[in-house]
Amino acid sequence: MAFASASACPHCRLAELCLPYGLHHEAVAQLATAVKSQRLLQADEYVYRQGGDGLYWYAVKSGSFRSFMADSDGFEQTVGFYLPGEIMGLDALQHGRFSCSVVALETAAVCEVPVARLQELCTEIPGLQMQMMRILGKEIASDHEQIVLLGHRSAKERVATFLLMLSRRYGALGFSGTAFNLSMRRQDIANFLGLTIETVSRQLADLNRQGIIRIRQRNVEISDLALLTLIVESCALWRSA
Amino acid sequence: MAFASASACPHCRLAELCLPYGLHHEAVAQLATAVKSQRLLQADEYVYRQGGDGLYWYAVKSGSFRSFMADSDGFEQTVGFYLPGEIMGLDALQHGRFSCSVVALETAAVCEVPVARLQELCTEIPGLQMQMMRILGKEIASDHEQIVLLGHRSAKERVATFLLMLSRRYGALGFSGTAFNLSMRRQDIANFLGLTIETVSRQLADLNRQGIIRIRQRNVEISDLALLTLIVESCALWRSA
DNA sequence: CGTGACTTTGATCAACTTCAAGCTACGTGG
DNA sequence: CCACGTAGCTTGAAGTTGATCAAAGTCACG
């Protein structure tokens, strides 16, 4: 009966995209009892820090986030962005300490779920274990995509892929897949894609000039989704003309 | 009593590095019953193929492997290498289909474990679930490292990091961390590091010339581990002179 | 000894970075 | 309300790194 607020899992509009996906009604209610609390965050506020105890998973309730690793010389690499319904904190599973830091890109909210409690619940809720594995599998799959992107793609392909990735994810959330606002700075995008801000800016300007997208500051509109997809798939044809 | 061969988990010299790590003696015996079979592979033989049913996890018993993804235009990206004690097949957890292919780099052997059976055993073997999560966490952590590598590092740093990574992993297996044979071709290394074979070859030649390593074909000897580590940590100082 | 796969080395070239300057949006205080 | 300051973004020119192209060298194996 605890946490029977309108925002708890059974009534959460993100349930089908989040941890409860595929679980029975009662199971979802049971899962909801594990959610310790919700937490509101301002832009630039940390959800957790690299090296901290990985005791919780964090489900994105609203807003968006950036995860990044700092290496020995203090240089940061953005590892991923998180949108509502996605789970953060999986990177602590190996040793119990977060290997990334995560900050909010805008005003946002997360649901904190103790990992230990989730693991206990696995024995009680059929399908939960499967679901946790699926979430981990999704993280692995998206990391692999990122590796392919960074390994072999030109600047133009990287930027196009980035826009398509956001388009797909916003679409899955029920938002427009062709018009949205970027919650991250150019610096974050560049860093994520292994490029410099200047290169990102130029590639976006090119796509704009070609009429494939319309971009003004952080506002993006994809005018020709098919063409954008083509850029990703057939590299050589689209060298900046 | 099934599979009570000398190579089954309780007697396997890799147990402490593999799935059984941290489990009680009886638990290991129980786990061993889940191992469907061992499979021997020749060089270039596939363990599994991208798109195939992800019904098994594969523990590397001996030899080494390369996993790679082919994208829409048929281009391959090497995602990782696997050494004894490591688990392959985790990339199928999301949708039940492998997102990578894995081939043996040399004569090798794997233990096949049905994922479904593993999940059942989680309720019976305390700690197994935790261990599976830890293995997934390790995969995520290593993918993140790879993302950092591909995102920001110069050719020299990438090659140095690659050598150090192998050194660490061979060391953990009880082999020499300073002298080993590369089981992969230059092409595989280059592809993994997001470089060309020529660049890899030149960087290795440079390191050789500087006396930091001694390399002849696939035989590597790391003469100055500290210096190699320094290259990775303080990039700018070591531009090829 | 010869063939083919793999690797090394050299010369040239292009993509992306770096450096530098100007622009836009936005918030704050006079 | 506007001027000013700052953070973020764009654009241009020059510089480097690593890619590409080309050729020769090495090794394994029949």
Side-chain angles (χ1 to χ4, degrees):
Chain A
M1 63 197 68
F3 301 100
S5 74
S7 52
C9 305
H11 306 97
C12 179
R13 65 180 187 80
L14 293 168
E16 285 305 301
L17 299 158
C18 187
L19 258 174
Y21 168 76
L23 298 182
H24 289 302
H25 190 67
E26 303 128 46
V28 176
Q30 205 173 353
L31 178 62
T33 66
V35 178
K36 190 194 138 214
S37 62
Q38 279 190 29
R39 197 165 121 209
L40 293 171
L41 297 110
Q42 305 297 322
D44 297 325
E45 202 174 331
Y46 279 77
V47 180
Y48 56 80
R49 285 170 194 270
Q50 194 169 354
D53 278 336
L55 302 177
Y56 300 93
W57 280 7
Y58 302 87
V60 180
K61 179 86 180 167
S62 65
S64 56
F65 297 84
R66 176 174 80 94
S67 76
F68 58 96
M69 302 175 79
D71 52 20
S72 47
D73 49 10
F75 215 70
E76 284 183 7
Q77 166 74 40
T78 296
V79 173
F81 297 104
Y82 291 95
L83 299 185
E86 298 173 340
I87 312 291
M88 309 186 291
L90 311 180
D91 54 298
L93 277 185
Q94 188 186 14
H95 298 304
R97 301 202 162 269
F98 293 118
S99 58
C100 302
S101 300
V102 169
V103 297
L105 290 168
E106 57 195 312
T107 305
V110 294
C111 301
E112 295 183 306
V113 196
V115 182
R117 183 78 191 108
L118 268 182
Q119 296 207 344
E120 285 167 23
L121 279 178
C122 280
T123 58
E124 300 170 34
I125 303 179
L128 178 57
Q129 177 178 295
M130 191 63 179
Q131 173 61 359
M132 288 178 72
M133 296 275 178
R134 210 159 20 217
I135 286 167
L136 290 164
K138 188 177 164 188
E139 177 81 26
I140 291 173
S142 91
D143 288 347
H144 283 184
E145 267 177 49
Q146 183 66 4
I147 289 172
V148 172
L149 183 75
L150 293 172
H152 279 303
R153 311 300 236 175
S154 69
K156 172 142 291 172
E157 291 172 280
R158 291 182 198 201
V159 171
T161 304
F162 176 72
L163 292 173
L164 285 173
M165 180 197 72
L166 284 184
S167 167
R168 235 180 278 121
R169 285 159 78 185
Y170 279 124
L173 281 171
F175 297 127
S176 167
T178 54
F180 45 84
N181 280 296
L182 300 172
S183 56
M184 64 290 288
R185 299 168 308 162
R186 294 284 188 277
Q187 177 57 57
D188 300 328
I189 300 174
N191 187 288
F192 178 64
L193 297 176
L195 301 169
T196 57
I197 33 174
E198 293 95 329
T199 301
V200 170
S201 186
R202 276 185 255 268
Q203 294 303 333
L204 287 173
D206 273 5
L207 291 172
N208 193 57
R209 220 169 293 128
Q210 294 178 285
I212 298 174
I213 64 171
R214 183 151 154 50
I215 187 162
R216 185 169 165 73
Q217 300 291 124
R218 301 215 179 168
N219 184 270
V220 185
E221 196 187 315
I222 300 178
S223 322
D224 195 332
L225 201 67
L227 220 46
L228 200 59
T229 309
L230 209 59
I231 289 175
V232 172
E233 280 168 5
S234 57
C235 36
L237 304 176
W238 293 92
R239 295 291 146 79
S240 55
Chain B
M1 64 196 67
F3 301 102
S5 73
S7 51
C9 305
H11 305 96
C12 180
R13 65 178 187 84
L14 294 168
E16 283 308 300
L17 299 158
C18 187
L19 260 173
Y21 168 77
L23 299 181
H24 288 301
H25 191 66
E26 303 129 44
V28 176
Q30 204 173 353
L31 178 63
T33 66
V35 179
K36 192 193 133 212
S37 62
Q38 279 191 29
R39 197 164 120 210
L40 294 172
L41 298 108
Q42 305 297 323
D44 297 325
E45 201 174 331
Y46 278 78
V47 181
Y48 57 79
R49 284 169 195 270
Q50 194 168 352
D53 279 336
L55 302 176
Y56 299 93
W57 281 8
Y58 301 87
V60 179
K61 181 84 181 168
S62 65
S64 55
F65 297 84
R66 175 174 80 94
S67 76
F68 58 96
M69 300 176 81
D71 51 19
S72 47
D73 50 10
F75 214 70
E76 283 182 10
Q77 166 74 41
T78 296
V79 173
F81 297 105
Y82 292 96
L83 299 185
E86 298 173 339
I87 312 290
M88 310 186 289
L90 311 180
D91 54 298
L93 274 186
Q94 187 186 15
H95 293 126
R97 303 203 159 267
F98 293 118
S99 60
C100 302
S101 300
V102 169
V103 297
L105 290 167
E106 58 196 312
T107 305
V110 294
C111 301
E112 295 182 306
V113 197
V115 182
R117 183 79 191 108
L118 268 181
Q119 296 206 343
E120 286 167 22
L121 278 178
C122 279
T123 58
E124 300 170 35
I125 303 179
L128 179 56
Q129 177 179 294
M130 191 63 179
Q131 173 61 0
M132 287 178 73
M133 296 274 179
R134 205 155 29 213
I135 286 168
L136 289 164
K138 188 176 165 190
E139 177 80 26
I140 290 172
S142 91
D143 288 347
H144 284 185
E145 267 178 50
Q146 182 66 3
I147 288 173
V148 172
L149 184 74
L150 293 173
H152 280 303
R153 313 299 238 175
S154 70
K156 172 142 290 172
E157 289 172 280
R158 293 183 196 201
V159 171
T161 305
F162 176 72
L163 292 173
L164 285 174
M165 179 195 73
L166 284 184
S167 167
R168 237 179 278 122
R169 285 159 77 186
Y170 278 124
L173 281 171
F175 297 127
S176 167
T178 54
F180 45 85
N181 280 297
L182 301 171
S183 56
M184 64 292 286
R185 299 168 306 163
R186 293 285 188 275
Q187 176 58 57
D188 299 327
I189 300 173
N191 187 286
F192 178 64
L193 297 176
L195 301 169
T196 57
I197 33 175
E198 292 95 328
T199 300
V200 170
S201 185
R202 274 185 256 268
Q203 294 303 333
L204 288 172
D206 273 6
L207 290 172
N208 193 56
R209 220 169 292 129
Q210 294 177 285
I212 298 174
I213 65 171
R214 182 151 154 50
I215 187 162
R216 185 167 165 74
Q217 300 292 124
R218 301 215 179 168
N219 185 271
V220 184
E221 196 186 315
I222 300 178
S223 323
D224 195 332
L225 201 67
L227 219 45
L228 199 59
T229 308
L230 210 60
I231 289 175
V232 172
E233 280 168 6
S234 56
C235 36
L237 304 175
W238 292 93
R239 295 291 146 80
S240 55

